[in-house]
Structure formats: C-alpha cells, structure tokens
Amino acid sequence: MSRSPFRKKIPRRDFLALIGSATAGVALASCAPQVTSAPTPQPVEPTKAPAPTTAPEKAAAALKVWADTAFVPAMQKMSEGFTQKYGVQIDFNPMGFGDILNQFQQAGPAGEGPDLIDMNVDWLDPLSRAGLLAPIDYGDKLDKIDPRAVTGWSLAGKMYALPLAMESYGMYRNPDLLDQPLKNWNDLEAVVDDLKEKDVEFPILFENQSYVDYGLITAFGGYLFGTNADGSYNNQDVGLDNAGTLKYARWVDSMVKKGIFKPGQDNNTCETLWTGGKSALYPSGPWHIQNFKTAGIKIQIDILPEADKEANPFLSVRAFGLNKLGKQLALASTYLTEYLAADEPQKIFSDITAKESPWLPVKDKTTDVLIKQQIEAAKNGMPIPSVPGVMSYWNAMTDATALILNQQGDPEEAFKNLAAKVREGVKSAAG
Amino acid sequence: MTRNESSPKSHPTGYAQTSLSGLLMRLLFLLLVDMGAVWFLSQLMSEGIWFLAGVIIVCVLGVNVFFISRKLYGLRWLSPGLVLLCLMVIAPIIYTVYVAFTNYDNNHVLTEQQAVQVLELETYLDEGAPKYTWTAFRRNVANVSPSGKYALWLKPPSGQGLLALPGEPLQSVQPGTAGVGPLNAEGVPESIEGYQRVSRVDSVIAISELSQIEFGQAPNVIKIKSLDEAAQYKQKYAYDAEHHTVLNQETGKTYAPIEGTFTSADGEKLSPAFFTVVGLRHFINTFTNESYRRPILEIFAWTVTFAIVVVAVQFAIGLVLSVAFMDLPRRIAKIIRSVLLLPYIIPAYLSVLVWSSMFNPNLGIVTKVLNNLFGLPLDWTVYPMGSRIEVLLVTFWLGFPYFLLINSGALQAIPEEILEAAEVDGASGWQRFWSITFPLLMEIVGPLIVLAAAFNFNNFTVVYLLTQGGPPMPNVLTPAGHTDLLITYTYKLAFTFTNSEYGLASVISILIYFVLAPVVYTQFRHRQVWAEETSNA
C-alpha cells in the first residue's frame, strides 16, 4: 500500500496515465454528445470523394498504434475523422504506459514494432539514440504547437513527435483552511503557525517525490541540467550541488528540524491526510484530482511558490512518435502531419482527457476552471530533460531527500552525493 | 529405422513391440517437432540470437535421440521435463554468467546484426540534391504490377518539373508535348496520356504502396518519403561483414566496433550501440571500486544476519508454542493453532503492505501505540536500525506459523517410550527436553531449517514491499539501502538503476550462488547421512 514500488513509481513517469484513466471515463461520458456533433472534416477535394477504384486498397490499409490504455478512448475518438476521410483504420493496442518504452526498445529493432507509439518527452533520448524515431516535418504548422513542447521534442533542429497533452504540477490548497495562496517559501513558517493555531494537524504535506520536489529545488536556484542557448539541455552541467541546491538542502533540513516537514509522507499517506481535511497545502500533480473530487474536498491549484526565483517545475509532454523501422512510415507520417496536426482532433483529445493542449489554438480557448489553473501552474514548466543520464536522477533524488528527512548525516553532503551519482550516470549512459 | 522394423522380436521390451502405426506416429511427431524447431531456429538465427538457438538445438537433438534410440527409451517420457529443465533452469544460469561478462544494459540491448540493420536504414541526400514535391498519376490499365502502375510528376523547389517512371531515367518533358498536358496553377500537368491523376486524398491512401516504388533508373532512384517530399535518398552506412566495420558512404569515414559501439578513429560514436563481451569489468568494479564494494559488503553482512536471526527466532517461537500446545486439551490447541496459522495463509504480498502502513510514521497504528505507551518517536522506522527491526518483526510474524506447523508434527513423531524411560530414570522435565526431545527434533527438522535460512537469504517480498531496501545508505553511488538484501539490491541494480546494469546485477547473482551453494550442499550431505542411518537400522 503505502510504500509499494508500483505506487511510488507511477507519479514519476506515468502520472498522465493515472489521471487519464481516472478522468477519461467521466470525461468521455460528459463530452460524448459534443464530440459526435462535431462537423466531420471536409475532404480537400470534395469532388473526388472516395472513388470505387480505390476500394480494395482502403480495406487493406491500417496503422498500428501502441498507446496508454487510459488514452485509447480519446485517441479513437479523435481518429474517427481520418478513417472516414481516407478509409485507413487506426488500430490502438492498449498497453500499460510504462511498458510501451521497454517493449518498443525490444520489438522495434526486430522489425515487430507498431507504426506509432504513445510516449512521454523523456523518451526522446533513448528512442532516438536507438535509431527508432523518425523526424516529422510540420512546415508552418509548427507555429501552432506550444514552443516548450517543440523544444522538448526536438533534437538538432528536428521535431520527433506530435504532442497531444502537456502536464506539470503545482501547489494544492484547501481554500476552506487557507484563503490566500502561499506566494513565497520564506512565508511558510508564518503560514504554518497560523494554521496550527486553527488546529490544522498537518499544515503542509511534503512528499519525497523526485518529480515534484524538483520544482522546489528550482525555486532556490538549483537545477538538474543546465541549458544551451537553443533551450536544449546540457548534461555536462549538473546543478544539483550548486549554491541554490545546497541552500534548498539546508532549508529542507531546517523545515524537518522544526517539524514542518515530516518523514514517511508518501503518496497514499498524503492522499489520506488531504482527503481527511487535515492539511492545507500540498505540492503535487494532477494525478490526485479525481480522488480529491471523489472525496468531496475542495481544491485550488496554485502555481508553486517562489523562493529566490520563480519555480520551474518539470513539464511532461505526451505525444505520438513514428517508428522509423515501421513498414508504413509514409502513411503514419501523413496521419500526423495531415490529420492530427489540426484544431479538430486536438480539441477532441483535450476535451476528453481534460488536459492542457499543446496545440495553441485549442489551449487558448480552454474554459474549464481546473484546467486553466493547471495551465497557470505549468506556465514556467520546463520539459523533463531527455539527455543521457537523466534516469539516474529519479531514485538518487529520493534517496538524498530521505537522508535529510531521516536526519542522517549532513544535508549538503546528501545533495553533493546526489550530484556525483547523476554525473556518474551521465558518464555511464553516454559510454 | 528399417533396422528397427526388421528385428521387432529381438527386444521383448515395449519398444520392440511397437507396431508400424506406432512407429509412424512417432516419426510424425518427431517430424512436427523438428519442423517447428527449424522454423523457430531460422527466426532466431536471422535475429542473431545464437544462445537461445543453441539451447533449442540441444533440446531438439535430445528429444530426437530419446525417441529413436532403444537404450534411452526410458528417457522418452522424461523428455518434456528435461527440456523444461534445460530451458528454464540451466540456460538462464549459463546466460546469467554470460551477461556478467557483457556490457548488457539499457543502452546495449541490440545484437550487432540488429544494430547494423538499423544503421543500414539511415539515408542521406547528396550535397545540393533537390527535394521534390510530387504528384502521382495512376495508369488507366487494370491489373498491372505495383511498380508499373504509377508515374510521378516531380516539382523541384525551383525550375522545371520532371516526369519519373520506374526503371527509366527522369524525363524533362515540355508540358503540352509527348502526351503531357499543360500545367495547372500548382505547376502539375492537368493530364498525362494513359494515366489518371491521383488526388491528395487518394495519395494518402496509396502512399504505403507508392513509397515502396523506386522511380527513375538505378542507381539514381527517387523515393517518396512523405506526402510532400520525394528525393534521391542514398544509403548512408554500409556494413563490411568481413572486417566488422561500418562505412559512412557520405563522408567515407570508417567505424570499428569498440566495446559495443561503432567508433571512428577520431572518436565519433554511432548509435545504436549493441551488447558485447567486455570481460571482467563488472567483477573488477564490484571488488575494487570503493563505492561499489562498501555497500555490497554491508549488504552481505546484513543478509547473513537477517537469514540467521529470522530462522532462529521463527524456530524458537514455533517451538515454544508447539510445546505449549502439547499440554493443552486437544480441541483448544487445535483452534488456537488454526488461528495462529493465519499469517502463513494470507498472501505475504497483502500482509506486508498492511504492515507497511501500520508502521507509517504519520498514520501507522503500531508507531502511534508505541509512541503512547513508551514515548518512542513516531518516526523510528525511518532510521537504519529501526527499519531493520521493522523488517525483522514482520518476517518473524510471517514465518513462525511454518515452524509451529512442522515442530508440532515432529514433536508428535518422537516416541513417548523414550521420554517415559528417561522419566523413570529420574530425569527432570528440563533435562528430558534438552537431552532427548530437542536432539531428536533437530534430527527431523534440521534440513528444513537450512532450507528456511536459504529462503530468507533471498526473501525479496518482505524487504522490497516493506522498505524497498531503504533507508538509503549515505555516500554510495549505487541505490543501496540499510535493509537491502543481496537479492533486492540486485533487483534495484538491474531494474530501477540508471541504465539497468544487468551485467553488475548478474555478478551479484553469481555471488549469491557461491554463498548459497555450500549451504545447500551441506544440507544434502546431512540428508544423505540421515538416509544411510535409517536404511542401516
């Protein structure tokens, strides 16, 4: 339950899957009429409607997609127009999101991969280095995609994905207990004192979660990898032992010593405490929304507090990628550039999954309050780095934070060791 | 075969009695097995998966020999078991040892052939070679092969359009002549004689077929890459099978394989990398690199302590309870014993997770009660010693019913007469227990204790579900924790660490083998001695 490895891993990499599965069903039901009433895309040349001579080819063509089970209903809905117009079936093979990367790495080179895969932004490096992703040319349409999604999915000026959804995290606030957002981490102590006077048992929840806690590090001036001029990450520049990160380490240590941050607050514990109304603040991601709603607790999502600077939380960008070794590469590429890179399918996907759309024309017209709060919370987000060595961050960061929470050794040493582990990871991943 | 048939009477065994139909059935069976094997082997070999292919060859040859040879007739019925033993036990062991000598990790999953196949798909365009936009025209004649079915009108970024047909050089045709109609607003001929223009929608439908066709005359071949692009792509990398090198045909650079990566003389590396033997690197790292060695020694010491303490305490609890039950009325003893077996019956997976939340510093009932009663800090389980005690307590709980069960059984098997004789001789209860009951008991349950220790040595479930090996050790470069057993540490190295260090994980698996093998061997020896004694009696 509380410390199960499966639970712990999910928020880090599969968080979109989680919230997707939680919301897809409900959203699907509520959006269904809207989707069906949407006008079907008009053929480019209406006079040349499906000619009888092409019928046999139509039946034969089908694209295979490996996709996250939670997203499949939305993907099917958004692809209906393509099948109608071109007679090409899209077969979605529902999978656990975490399995897709691994299985594709094995099946792809053997020529047994699908035509398209559903993937997250930190897969760009392993998949492109394995020679499994084909670049996609969008032409002018590239301007309609959120620049952060483009940067995250680009390598050497080439774009390798069709972004479908973006997600980051922020600060949950219980408006019944605290009416103002926490703007700066330096105000935390005062706010906690006030809340304690109001008998709030756990004023703030601090989960040892390397994906979310990264947002806190950045507020103090720390970072995982530095960036190059073009916005790409430079894995030779590890900032996990710079002055900012070490200040963060000392700050967490002081919060633990004052009893504000407590060890053992994992995902489940936090959810239980939060839904019990015992807590007013909780930095975390949208994978909790469904459970919080079910528990009937009011939530407000604020942007992460600043400290010395604004926070730059990790930004996740879910997308479709092209299997470079796929037998129908040209057709699969057409499906993305000609059909999915357009308002209509992107809107369908965003509506059903209730996520921030990377397609700017759709994102700008969002009306849902909670999605708008998430978009605001994610506005300073930076794509999860996809460079060799990033994989060594996740568990090592949890360990470093655990050492401080458990008050074992010097907090600065814990983060210096974390930086050493990441540098070691960069070295071994590149070799 | 004919030899077998000609002398059916010389062997009075079942084999010789086989009828012709039996023989045919047997041959048919072998034929099916061999056909399946050949198909499977061809698949494996084309992928370059030699190891599995070798194992399967051994298995199939074995099955063939068992079914044909007279002497090995008896083995025929054992062959499914032997094949499974080969595939599931022996092959993985050999493979683990092999992996320990390779660079197998997340970045080195492909075989050399697979890596070459991926590289050979890379293409390049010559300097200045144009990228065309294209329009397809389909022939009006029915039933032509796909390659003769289409013509392509190619439009370069600037300049005049070209007509491309498969197998013929590109033609620069003046629109309005040679059957090519005048150009429309997009610069595409309105008609080509004998062909019908393919609309954009239909081009999408036919694009898979179109992208397979080579337009133009070899070697100057134009291929369609996407709906808006066709060009004369050339293969970028060529593999030299003799020297195992890769040639970049664009730049002329040669890349030689170095530790699983094609590397040029000036150090440029090609991806993907592939897995290959790198020798003793992981062994050397394990034993010489301080940041690897220290956690392993500490984890090893804890693993041994854990196994011994757990078994000793579980056995003691089980023994005390079963002795206590001997004096209780049978019915009550039965009920209590059934209840006490519960921890053993409930799946460990569930109960460990429940225990984990009961020990939680924020919400756990155990930590709260201990805090109220003894003022123990709520977060004692997050400290190294506390978490080890937590793991031990839960493992005691999960394992004692097993010893309760076997101890009560074993105690009942000890003859009453011996104890009565001792009583007559004037031995006290304490003396009777230590001099008679306990030695006899150990005789019976000794092997089971050894096995239980070996089991707990690899008790992955409890540790991984309860603490995941945490809390972490400070200042090490691997994901080592204070409650990690060798097996959980191995798992973390192989599956949750940076690059999935399968090689390093294999080294530790081998270490586990060398620790456990003598233990199990001693246990076998012990049983042998015991068996000899009983057979002599």
Side-chain angles (χ1 to χ4, degrees), chain A residues 210-229:
Chain A
S210 34
Y211 176 70
V212 172
D213 297 345
Y214 181 74
L216 277 59
I217 297 182
T218 56
F220 286 83
Y223 54 85
L224 170 53
F225 294 128
T227 46
N228 298 317

Side-chain angles (χ1 to χ4, degrees), chain B residues 21 66 68 85 92-93 121 158 168 231 247 283 322 335 340 374 406 431 509 520 529:
Chain B
S21 64
F66 295 159
I68 292 168
L85 182 77
I93 291 175
L121 282 168
S158 61
E168 288 176 33
L247 174 73
F283 290 91
S322 47
I335 294 170
L340 284 178
F374 308 110
I406 60 167
Q431 273 179 323
S509 304
V520 177
V529 170

Side-chain angles (χ1 to χ4, degrees), chain A residues 160-235:
Chain A
Y160 283 86
L162 179 95
L164 291 169
M166 300 203 296
E167 201 170 82
S168 187
Y169 45 86
M171 176 74 98
Y172 283 103
R173 175 162 57 88
N174 184 334
D176 291 342
L177 300 176
L178 188 65
D179 47 13
Q180 286 297 314
L182 178 69
K183 286 258 168 54
N184 195 302
W185 285 114
N186 297 324
D187 306 334
L188 180 63
E189 274 188 76
V191 171
V192 166
D193 286 344
D194 285 354
L195 287 165
K196 276 205 171 135
E197 268 169 38
K198 284 196 259 172
D199 281 335
V200 180
E201 206 179 332
F202 296 87
I204 183 166
L205 298 175
F206 179 75
E207 187 184 338
N208 182 0
Q209 223 274 20
S210 34
Y211 176 70
V212 172
D213 297 345
Y214 181 74
L216 277 59
I217 297 182
T218 56
F220 286 83
Y223 54 85
L224 170 53
F225 294 128
T227 46
N228 298 317
D230 62 351
S232 62
Y233 286 98
N234 171 12
N235 64 1

Side-chain angles (χ1 to χ4, degrees), chain B residues 62-327:
Chain B
V63 169
N64 277 296
V65 170
F66 295 159
F67 272 76
I68 292 168
S69 156
R70 299 165 204 214
K71 284 185 186 156
L72 299 173
Y73 179 78
L75 283 175
R76 188 184 300 176
W77 310 113
L78 270 179
S79 55
L82 289 174
V83 166
L84 283 180
L85 182 77
C86 248
L87 282 175
M88 304 292 171
V89 180
I90 297 175
I93 291 175
I94 298 173
Y95 197 66
T96 305
V97 174
Y98 165 67
V99 166
F101 291 93
T102 68
N103 62 354
Y104 186 33
D105 63 26
N106 263 355
N107 293 322
H108 302 87
V109 283
L110 307 186
T111 60
E112 189 172 345
Q113 278 102 320
Q114 285 175 330
V116 167
Q117 276 168 22
V118 172
L119 282 172
E120 281 175 344
L121 282 168
E122 291 282 327
T123 56
Y124 73 100
L125 276 180
D126 275 332
E127 191 86 26
K131 283 184 184 175
Y132 304 97
T133 53
W134 56 271
T135 310
F137 289 81
R138 187 186 280 116
R139 250 168 103 172
N140 287 335
V141 189
N143 300 328
V144 274
S145 69
S147 58
K149 203 165 160 187
Y150 292 101
L152 222 53
W153 182 260
L154 297 173
K155 230 181 73 178
S158 61
Q160 211 185 352
L162 295 165
L163 181 65
L165 291 167
E168 288 176 33
L170 301 186
Q171 301 163 32
S172 176
V173 187
Q174 198 57 245
T177 61
V180 175
L183 299 183
N184 65 8
E186 292 147 23
V188 178
E190 275 166 4
S191 65
I192 295 179
E193 203 182 308
Y195 289 88
Q196 193 181 10
R197 185 169 155 198
V198 183
S199 72
R200 197 168 165 88
V201 171
D202 286 348
S203 297
V204 172
I205 295 164
I207 197 164
S208 289
E209 193 182 22
L210 281 164
S211 62
Q212 304 296 323
I213 302 172
E214 299 187 332
F215 292 95
Q217 197 173 35
N220 299 320
V221 169
I222 301 277
K223 283 190 89 168
I224 288 172
K225 197 177 190 190
S226 70
L227 197 57
D228 296 307
E229 191 185 320
Q232 190 181 328
Y233 293 101
K234 293 181 174 170
Q235 187 183 332
K236 190 164 179 184
Y237 296 107
Y239 182 58
D240 179 350
E242 197 184 322
H243 299 102
H244 289 274
T245 55
V246 166
L247 174 73
N248 182 333
Q249 312 200 71
E250 189 181 4
T251 61
K253 246 191 223 176
T254 310
Y255 299 81
I258 296 175
E259 290 210 339
T261 311
F262 286 111
T263 316
S264 69
D266 55 7
E268 195 195 325
K269 289 174 177 175
L270 294 186
S271 21
F274 53 92
F275 82 98
T276 185
V277 173
V278 293
L280 289 167
R281 189 206 284 169
H282 297 300
F283 290 91
I284 293 169
N285 263 346
T286 309
F287 293 112
T288 62
N289 189 329
E290 168 67 19
S291 64
Y292 284 99
R293 191 181 58 200
R294 190 161 58 86
I296 286 189
L297 287 180
E298 204 167 312
I299 290 168
F300 177 71
W302 161 243
T303 308
V304 174
T305 319
F306 173 81
I308 293 174
V309 171
V310 160
V311 172
V313 174
Q314 283 178 348
F315 176 74
I317 300 175
L319 185 60
V320 168
L321 286 176
S322 47
V323 170
F325 287 149
M326 299 261 293
D327 299 332

